[in-house]
């Protein structure tokens, strides 16, 4: 038995997979922001009871460690966590010091001259994670070829350690000049720090790649968040002894918890990465290879573009700070079901980025929240059946939503639209503004990068995604929307289909005329390491594949493109340059910057349930009619039970499809068909 777990800002999702039977089960619990492990352990206790029932055994009595019972068939957890992400974004990481080559201690403050807001003279860059008093220097120097210019004096390490102890740091980032060509000095410092009991992150271990600011930033982020994630995972590890406990990485693969505790930066976007992996897996099974993934949860919305495959970048940025480890190219906005609607100082209606989260949550949750949210707006518009929320386990308070939205409307000085109440008028505005935020995010990863959204399908998931997907597709010119039956827990499902993945990089700085055999020999060092480390994760050698790549640029360029490492890599680079920039210079000299390797260990993947399509009559799933507010005004729409839908059923809009943990809203003119995998395939109509 394998389980995927994804912690969101509002809910924590669980997906159980039994490889023997192929059975999938899902459920959700409210997240516990004060201690994310609390919701995880509570969910694992519930899973333990479910497994006991499956095995005809009495429920576990020790809910602190439900899977240490040798009778349990449970074997593996793959977990995506926002702990490291939140620690970075909220600046609640460990007290961290930075050790650099003499004269380079201020590299974190100097950074790059790039400006995110080009015409704003008052824009401030994010403050460095390490304050100036904790930026220390050591006298040493290595040149760009790895030759030692000034040796590191071992006697200098004792006062360095004493200084770090005096200032009370919890973690240390070490980034020396050109250490990616010769890591000896970093290794000396790291050995001294670790012998003294100080946690250390070495740039030559985290990111042996040139560009000293990005390398330093990535190493500092790792040092800043690793102690936080280490404490969190350590607590779970204690409860899960004997279970293969794995963590989702930002690159779309998983790694062992032990490595994640040391290299937390690799899991900085683990939750959204799981969603992208799961979404593309479902899209491929449904026959779509070009999709925009749209993950709308309770707190935020994550979007990505998959053009025949998941797009991975090594030029990411989190909280305004560069992160150069490979990660799925995901764009996030603060718009979710829990996003709070308010009136700004100018009297305009705003939605997000602040969220009501899980505690107290939207006003309709009845947990003390009084501020209107996107969820409250959908409830007031009749698009969200409150009596069936979470399968009826958590009834929503419609009156509380109406009251919160009415107060918002009064603050914004709104007047009721024809046929609508004041609260419903405000609710329509809240939904429209939230949609505008999410539409902008989808345009960032499509139009802004040279893609026409009309060439893609929109795959919607997350607990709130189905309520907004069709309207977003219509605004973008997208003709097809895919809503999986397990949309609400697709990120957790994605963690179960994610392979074991390890990425490696080494800067080489060689001319493009270098013999291919020399590149092969250098890549072989990475290949041997990749094979050994993936095998150490328990993956049989026959399921391991290696993908060597090379970063190439025209001599004199500042940035490079990544292409497969083959004898004709130069031709591949020219073709890629033509595709990306619409021009190339085949006669120009090339420069090889980095060698890369992706080692992938394939894991057994859940098989999506299938059934052959029958007739198109969906009346067996009809629950009745309910009043709903469309963009054109009040109407009645049929309400369908998603669990009762079978392949072949046809659902014309307007309609509402309610599943156990998500709801789908179809507008007038939309037409949904249930495919053989129980996905809703919606053809978008014009309004």
């Amino acid at each position: 038995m394998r389980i995927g777990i994804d912690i969101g800002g509002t809910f924590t999702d669980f997906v159980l997979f039994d490889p023997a039977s192929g059975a999938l089960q899902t459920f959700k619990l409210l997240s516990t922001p004060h201690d994310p492990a609390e919701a995880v352990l509570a969910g694992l206790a519930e899973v333990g009871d479910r497994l006991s029932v499956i095995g005809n055994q009495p429920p576990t009595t020790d809910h602190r460690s439900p899977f240490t019972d040798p009778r349990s068939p449970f074997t593996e957890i793959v977990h995506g966590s926002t702990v490291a992400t939140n620690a970075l974004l909220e600046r609640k990481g460990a007290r961290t010091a930075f050790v650099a080559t003499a004269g380079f201690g201020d590299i974190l403050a100097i950074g790059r001259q790039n400006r995110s807001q080009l015409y704003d003279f008052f824009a401030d860059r994010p403050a460095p994670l390490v304050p100036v008093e904790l930026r220390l220097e050591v006298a040493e120097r290595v040149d760009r070829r790895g030759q030692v210019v000034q040796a590191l004096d071992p006697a200098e390490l004792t006062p360095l350690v004493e200084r770090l102890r005096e200032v009370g740091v919890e973690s240390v980032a070490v980034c020396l000049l050109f250490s990616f060509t010769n890591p000896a000095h970093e290794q000396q410092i790291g050995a001294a720090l670790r012998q003294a009991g100080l946690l250390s992150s070495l740039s030559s271990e985290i990111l042996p790649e040139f560009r000293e600011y990005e390398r330093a930033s990535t190493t500092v982020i790792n040092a800043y968040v690793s102690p936080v994630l280490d404490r969190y995972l350590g607590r779970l590890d204690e409860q899960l002894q004997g279970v293969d406990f794995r963590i989702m990485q930002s690159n779309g693969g998983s790694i062992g918890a032990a490595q994640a505790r040391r290299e937390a930066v690799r899991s900085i976007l683990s939750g959204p990465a799981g969603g992208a992996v799961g979404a593309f897996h479902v899209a491929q099974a449904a026959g779509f290879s070009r999709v925009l993934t749209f993950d709308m949860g309770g707190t935020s919305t994550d979007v990505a573009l998959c053009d025949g495959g998941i797009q991975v970048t090594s030029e990411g940025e989190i909280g305004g700070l560069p992160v150069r480890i490979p990660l799925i190219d995901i764009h996030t906005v603060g718009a979710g079901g829990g996003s709070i609607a308010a009136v700004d100082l100018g009297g305009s209606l705003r939605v997000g980025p602040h969220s009501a989260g899980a505690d107290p949550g939207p006003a309709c949750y009845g947990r003390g929240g009084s501020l209107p949210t996107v969820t409250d707006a959908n409830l007031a518009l009749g698009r969200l059946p409150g009596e069936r929320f979470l399968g009826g386990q958590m009834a929503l308070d419609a009156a509380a939503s109406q009251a919160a939205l009415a107060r918002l409307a009064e603050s914004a000085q709104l007047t009721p639209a024809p046929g609508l109440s004041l609260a419903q008028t405000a609710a329509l505005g809240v939904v429209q503004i939230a949609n505008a935020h999410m539409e902008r995010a989808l345009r960032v990863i499509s139009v802004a990068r040279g893609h026409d959204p009309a060439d893609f399908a929109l795959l919607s998931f997350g607990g709130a995604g189905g309520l907004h997907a069709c309207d977003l597709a219509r605004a973008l010119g997208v003709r097809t929307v895919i809503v999986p039956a397990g949309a609400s827990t697709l990120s957790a499902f994605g963690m179960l289909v994610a392979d074991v993945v390890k990425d490696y990089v080494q800067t080489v700085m060689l001319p493009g005329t270098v013999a291919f055999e020399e590149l092969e020999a250098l890549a072989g060092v990475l290949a041997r390491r990749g094979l050994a480390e993936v095998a150490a994760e328990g993956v049989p050698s026959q399921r391991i594949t290696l993908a060597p790549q090379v970063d190439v640029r025209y001599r004199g360029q500042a940035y490079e493109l990544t292409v497969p490492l083959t004898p004709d890599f130069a031709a591949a680079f020219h073709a890629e340059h033509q595709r990306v920039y619409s021009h190339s210079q085949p006669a120009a000299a090339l420069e090889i910057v980095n060698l890369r390797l992706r080692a992938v260990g394939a894991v057994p993947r859940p098989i999506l349930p299938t059934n052959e399509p029958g007739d198109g009559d969906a009346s067996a799933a009809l629950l009745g009619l309910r009043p709903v507010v469309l963009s054109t005004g009040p109407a009645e729409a049929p309400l369908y039970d998603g669990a009762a839908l079978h392949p072949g059923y046809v659902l014309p809009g307007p309609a509402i499809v309610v599943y156990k943990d998500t709801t789908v809203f179809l507008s007038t003119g939309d037409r949904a068909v249930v495919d053989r995998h129980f996905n809703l395939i919606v053809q978008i109509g014009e309004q």
Side-chain angles (χ1 to χ4, degrees), residues 443-466:
R443 290 186 182 278
V444 166
I445 54 100
S446 57
V447 177
R449 300 181 187 179
H451 298 280
D452 184 352
D455 296 333
F456 295 78
L458 180 68
L459 194 144
S460 170
F461 60 107

PDB file of all heavy atoms in Angstrom, residues 443-466:
ATOM      1  N   ARG A 443      -1.994  33.487 -18.705  1.00  0.00           N
ATOM      2  CA  ARG A 443      -1.388  34.197 -19.830  1.00  0.00           C
ATOM      3  C   ARG A 443       0.119  34.335 -19.646  1.00  0.00           C
ATOM      4  O   ARG A 443       0.871  34.344 -20.628  1.00  0.00           O
ATOM      5  CB  ARG A 443      -2.033  35.573 -20.004  1.00  0.00           C
ATOM      6  CG  ARG A 443      -3.472  35.521 -20.504  1.00  0.00           C
ATOM      7  CD  ARG A 443      -4.040  36.888 -20.816  1.00  0.00           C
ATOM      8  NE  ARG A 443      -5.430  36.810 -21.248  1.00  0.00           N
ATOM      9  CZ  ARG A 443      -5.813  36.515 -22.491  1.00  0.00           C
ATOM     10  NH1 ARG A 443      -4.902  36.298 -23.420  1.00  0.00           N
ATOM     11  NH2 ARG A 443      -7.098  36.447 -22.798  1.00  0.00           N
ATOM     12  N   VAL A 444       0.578  34.441 -18.401  1.00  0.00           N
ATOM     13  CA  VAL A 444       2.020  34.543 -18.145  1.00  0.00           C
ATOM     14  C   VAL A 444       2.750  33.311 -18.641  1.00  0.00           C
ATOM     15  O   VAL A 444       3.831  33.398 -19.241  1.00  0.00           O
ATOM     16  CB  VAL A 444       2.289  34.755 -16.638  1.00  0.00           C
ATOM     17  CG1 VAL A 444       3.761  34.525 -16.306  1.00  0.00           C
ATOM     18  CG2 VAL A 444       1.884  36.167 -16.219  1.00  0.00           C
ATOM     19  N   ILE A 445       2.161  32.117 -18.424  1.00  0.00           N
ATOM     20  CA  ILE A 445       2.871  30.896 -18.812  1.00  0.00           C
ATOM     21  C   ILE A 445       2.512  30.437 -20.234  1.00  0.00           C
ATOM     22  O   ILE A 445       3.034  29.416 -20.687  1.00  0.00           O
ATOM     23  CB  ILE A 445       2.612  29.762 -17.785  1.00  0.00           C
ATOM     24  CG1 ILE A 445       1.116  29.514 -17.578  1.00  0.00           C
ATOM     25  CG2 ILE A 445       3.268  30.086 -16.472  1.00  0.00           C
ATOM     26  CD1 ILE A 445       0.602  28.362 -18.333  1.00  0.00           C
ATOM     27  N   SER A 446       1.676  31.183 -20.914  1.00  0.00           N
ATOM     28  CA  SER A 446       1.338  30.816 -22.295  1.00  0.00           C
ATOM     29  C   SER A 446       1.629  31.972 -23.249  1.00  0.00           C
ATOM     30  O   SER A 446       2.662  31.971 -23.928  1.00  0.00           O
ATOM     31  CB  SER A 446      -0.131  30.383 -22.390  1.00  0.00           C
ATOM     32  OG  SER A 446      -1.001  31.412 -21.930  1.00  0.00           O
ATOM     33  N   VAL A 447       0.778  32.980 -23.281  1.00  0.00           N
ATOM     34  CA  VAL A 447       0.922  34.088 -24.225  1.00  0.00           C
ATOM     35  C   VAL A 447       2.270  34.788 -24.067  1.00  0.00           C
ATOM     36  O   VAL A 447       2.967  35.071 -25.052  1.00  0.00           O
ATOM     37  CB  VAL A 447      -0.225  35.095 -24.051  1.00  0.00           C
ATOM     38  CG1 VAL A 447      -0.036  36.284 -24.982  1.00  0.00           C
ATOM     39  CG2 VAL A 447      -1.569  34.429 -24.305  1.00  0.00           C
ATOM     40  N   ALA A 448       2.671  35.062 -22.826  1.00  0.00           N
ATOM     41  CA  ALA A 448       3.917  35.790 -22.588  1.00  0.00           C
ATOM     42  C   ALA A 448       5.141  34.990 -23.013  1.00  0.00           C
ATOM     43  O   ALA A 448       6.236  35.545 -23.130  1.00  0.00           O
ATOM     44  CB  ALA A 448       4.034  36.163 -21.106  1.00  0.00           C
ATOM     45  N   ARG A 449       4.965  33.686 -23.251  1.00  0.00           N
ATOM     46  CA  ARG A 449       6.097  32.847 -23.660  1.00  0.00           C
ATOM     47  C   ARG A 449       5.928  32.323 -25.088  1.00  0.00           C
ATOM     48  O   ARG A 449       6.549  31.342 -25.474  1.00  0.00           O
ATOM     49  CB  ARG A 449       6.268  31.698 -22.670  1.00  0.00           C
ATOM     50  CG  ARG A 449       6.543  32.233 -21.272  1.00  0.00           C
ATOM     51  CD  ARG A 449       6.750  31.163 -20.238  1.00  0.00           C
ATOM     52  NE  ARG A 449       6.850  31.762 -18.914  1.00  0.00           N
ATOM     53  CZ  ARG A 449       7.023  31.086 -17.794  1.00  0.00           C
ATOM     54  NH1 ARG A 449       7.120  29.772 -17.830  1.00  0.00           N
ATOM     55  NH2 ARG A 449       7.103  31.709 -16.637  1.00  0.00           N
ATOM     56  N   GLY A 450       5.065  32.987 -25.823  1.00  0.00           N
ATOM     57  CA  GLY A 450       4.952  32.672 -27.241  1.00  0.00           C
ATOM     58  C   GLY A 450       4.003  31.552 -27.588  1.00  0.00           C
ATOM     59  O   GLY A 450       4.036  31.040 -28.713  1.00  0.00           O
ATOM     60  N   HIS A 451       3.118  31.157 -26.672  1.00  0.00           N
ATOM     61  CA  HIS A 451       2.164  30.081 -26.929  1.00  0.00           C
ATOM     62  C   HIS A 451       0.749  30.655 -27.019  1.00  0.00           C
ATOM     63  O   HIS A 451       0.384  31.551 -26.261  1.00  0.00           O
ATOM     64  CB  HIS A 451       2.205  29.037 -25.817  1.00  0.00           C
ATOM     65  CG  HIS A 451       3.523  28.342 -25.675  1.00  0.00           C
ATOM     66  ND1 HIS A 451       3.921  27.309 -26.492  1.00  0.00           N
ATOM     67  CD2 HIS A 451       4.542  28.542 -24.796  1.00  0.00           C
ATOM     68  CE1 HIS A 451       5.120  26.890 -26.125  1.00  0.00           C
ATOM     69  NE2 HIS A 451       5.524  27.622 -25.109  1.00  0.00           N
ATOM     70  N   ASP A 452      -0.043  30.094 -27.935  1.00  0.00           N
ATOM     71  CA  ASP A 452      -1.447  30.467 -28.050  1.00  0.00           C
ATOM     72  C   ASP A 452      -2.262  29.521 -27.168  1.00  0.00           C
ATOM     73  O   ASP A 452      -2.262  28.305 -27.394  1.00  0.00           O
ATOM     74  CB  ASP A 452      -1.900  30.346 -29.504  1.00  0.00           C
ATOM     75  CG  ASP A 452      -3.340  30.812 -29.714  1.00  0.00           C
ATOM     76  OD1 ASP A 452      -4.028  31.086 -28.711  1.00  0.00           O
ATOM     77  OD2 ASP A 452      -3.765  30.884 -30.884  1.00  0.00           O
ATOM     78  N   PRO A 453      -2.961  30.036 -26.149  1.00  0.00           N
ATOM     79  CA  PRO A 453      -3.742  29.150 -25.274  1.00  0.00           C
ATOM     80  C   PRO A 453      -4.744  28.292 -26.036  1.00  0.00           C
ATOM     81  O   PRO A 453      -5.078  27.192 -25.596  1.00  0.00           O
ATOM     82  CB  PRO A 453      -4.453  30.128 -24.328  1.00  0.00           C
ATOM     83  CG  PRO A 453      -3.631  31.364 -24.354  1.00  0.00           C
ATOM     84  CD  PRO A 453      -3.046  31.442 -25.724  1.00  0.00           C
ATOM     85  N   ALA A 454      -5.211  28.774 -27.193  1.00  0.00           N
ATOM     86  CA  ALA A 454      -6.194  28.018 -27.969  1.00  0.00           C
ATOM     87  C   ALA A 454      -5.637  26.696 -28.483  1.00  0.00           C
ATOM     88  O   ALA A 454      -6.397  25.807 -28.866  1.00  0.00           O
ATOM     89  CB  ALA A 454      -6.698  28.859 -29.140  1.00  0.00           C
ATOM     90  N   ASP A 455      -4.310  26.547 -28.481  1.00  0.00           N
ATOM     91  CA  ASP A 455      -3.687  25.306 -28.938  1.00  0.00           C
ATOM     92  C   ASP A 455      -3.597  24.260 -27.831  1.00  0.00           C
ATOM     93  O   ASP A 455      -3.067  23.165 -28.054  1.00  0.00           O
ATOM     94  CB  ASP A 455      -2.276  25.584 -29.469  1.00  0.00           C
ATOM     95  CG  ASP A 455      -2.286  26.480 -30.704  1.00  0.00           C
ATOM     96  OD1 ASP A 455      -3.298  26.471 -31.423  1.00  0.00           O
ATOM     97  OD2 ASP A 455      -1.283  27.185 -30.930  1.00  0.00           O
ATOM     98  N   PHE A 456      -4.084  24.595 -26.645  1.00  0.00           N
ATOM     99  CA  PHE A 456      -3.949  23.718 -25.496  1.00  0.00           C
ATOM    100  C   PHE A 456      -5.328  23.424 -24.899  1.00  0.00           C
ATOM    101  O   PHE A 456      -6.273  24.184 -25.070  1.00  0.00           O
ATOM    102  CB  PHE A 456      -3.065  24.364 -24.422  1.00  0.00           C
ATOM    103  CG  PHE A 456      -1.640  24.569 -24.848  1.00  0.00           C
ATOM    104  CD1 PHE A 456      -1.289  25.624 -25.677  1.00  0.00           C
ATOM    105  CD2 PHE A 456      -0.646  23.710 -24.416  1.00  0.00           C
ATOM    106  CE1 PHE A 456       0.023  25.818 -26.077  1.00  0.00           C
ATOM    107  CE2 PHE A 456       0.666  23.893 -24.801  1.00  0.00           C
ATOM    108  CZ  PHE A 456       1.003  24.944 -25.636  1.00  0.00           C
ATOM    109  N   ALA A 457      -5.399  22.322 -24.174  1.00  0.00           N
ATOM    110  CA  ALA A 457      -6.554  22.054 -23.316  1.00  0.00           C
ATOM    111  C   ALA A 457      -6.224  22.566 -21.923  1.00  0.00           C
ATOM    112  O   ALA A 457      -5.056  22.666 -21.539  1.00  0.00           O
ATOM    113  CB  ALA A 457      -6.864  20.565 -23.281  1.00  0.00           C
ATOM    114  N   LEU A 458      -7.244  22.900 -21.159  1.00  0.00           N
ATOM    115  CA  LEU A 458      -7.061  23.359 -19.781  1.00  0.00           C
ATOM    116  C   LEU A 458      -7.439  22.221 -18.850  1.00  0.00           C
ATOM    117  O   LEU A 458      -8.595  21.773 -18.839  1.00  0.00           O
ATOM    118  CB  LEU A 458      -7.930  24.589 -19.512  1.00  0.00           C
ATOM    119  CG  LEU A 458      -7.847  25.177 -18.091  1.00  0.00           C
ATOM    120  CD1 LEU A 458      -6.479  25.787 -17.851  1.00  0.00           C
ATOM    121  CD2 LEU A 458      -8.931  26.225 -17.877  1.00  0.00           C
ATOM    122  N   LEU A 459      -6.464  21.718 -18.097  1.00  0.00           N
ATOM    123  CA  LEU A 459      -6.745  20.650 -17.142  1.00  0.00           C
ATOM    124  C   LEU A 459      -6.888  21.269 -15.762  1.00  0.00           C
ATOM    125  O   LEU A 459      -5.942  21.821 -15.217  1.00  0.00           O
ATOM    126  CB  LEU A 459      -5.645  19.588 -17.143  1.00  0.00           C
ATOM    127  CG  LEU A 459      -6.057  18.298 -16.432  1.00  0.00           C
ATOM    128  CD1 LEU A 459      -5.462  17.076 -17.119  1.00  0.00           C
ATOM    129  CD2 LEU A 459      -5.682  18.299 -14.957  1.00  0.00           C
ATOM    130  N   SER A 460      -8.087  21.173 -15.214  1.00  0.00           N
ATOM    131  CA  SER A 460      -8.427  21.840 -13.960  1.00  0.00           C
ATOM    132  C   SER A 460      -8.424  20.847 -12.809  1.00  0.00           C
ATOM    133  O   SER A 460      -8.975  19.754 -12.913  1.00  0.00           O
ATOM    134  CB  SER A 460      -9.810  22.492 -14.077  1.00  0.00           C
ATOM    135  OG  SER A 460     -10.259  22.945 -12.815  1.00  0.00           O
ATOM    136  N   PHE A 461      -7.797  21.244 -11.712  1.00  0.00           N
ATOM    137  CA  PHE A 461      -7.838  20.423 -10.511  1.00  0.00           C
ATOM    138  C   PHE A 461      -7.683  21.327  -9.301  1.00  0.00           C
ATOM    139  O   PHE A 461      -7.687  22.548  -9.410  1.00  0.00           O
ATOM    140  CB  PHE A 461      -6.783  19.311 -10.553  1.00  0.00           C
ATOM    141  CG  PHE A 461      -5.351  19.778 -10.672  1.00  0.00           C
ATOM    142  CD1 PHE A 461      -4.486  19.696  -9.600  1.00  0.00           C
ATOM    143  CD2 PHE A 461      -4.859  20.250 -11.879  1.00  0.00           C
ATOM    144  CE1 PHE A 461      -3.154  20.092  -9.718  1.00  0.00           C
ATOM    145  CE2 PHE A 461      -3.533  20.657 -12.003  1.00  0.00           C
ATOM    146  CZ  PHE A 461      -2.689  20.573 -10.918  1.00  0.00           C
ATOM    147  N   GLY A 462      -7.572  20.704  -8.124  1.00  0.00           N
ATOM    148  CA  GLY A 462      -7.655  21.470  -6.891  1.00  0.00           C
ATOM    149  C   GLY A 462      -9.106  21.561  -6.458  1.00  0.00           C
ATOM    150  O   GLY A 462     -10.033  21.464  -7.286  1.00  0.00           O
ATOM    151  N   GLY A 463      -9.338  21.755  -5.182  1.00  0.00           N
ATOM    152  CA  GLY A 463     -10.693  21.738  -4.662  1.00  0.00           C
ATOM    153  C   GLY A 463     -11.609  22.775  -5.273  1.00  0.00           C
ATOM    154  O   GLY A 463     -12.810  22.544  -5.416  1.00  0.00           O
ATOM    155  N   ALA A 464     -11.063  23.939  -5.668  1.00  0.00           N
ATOM    156  CA  ALA A 464     -11.905  25.024  -6.165  1.00  0.00           C
ATOM    157  C   ALA A 464     -11.842  25.191  -7.673  1.00  0.00           C
ATOM    158  O   ALA A 464     -12.584  25.991  -8.245  1.00  0.00           O
ATOM    159  CB  ALA A 464     -11.507  26.341  -5.486  1.00  0.00           C
ATOM    160  N   GLY A 465     -10.952  24.464  -8.364  1.00  0.00           N
ATOM    161  CA  GLY A 465     -10.711  24.706  -9.779  1.00  0.00           C
ATOM    162  C   GLY A 465     -11.926  24.526 -10.666  1.00  0.00           C
ATOM    163  O   GLY A 465     -12.154  25.309 -11.593  1.00  0.00           O
ATOM    164  N   GLY A 466     -12.742  23.493 -10.408  1.00  0.00           N
ATOM    165  CA  GLY A 466     -13.868  23.192 -11.276  1.00  0.00           C
ATOM    166  C   GLY A 466     -14.922  24.277 -11.328  1.00  0.00           C
ATOM    167  O   GLY A 466     -15.707  24.348 -12.278  1.00  0.00           O
TER     168      GLY A 466
END
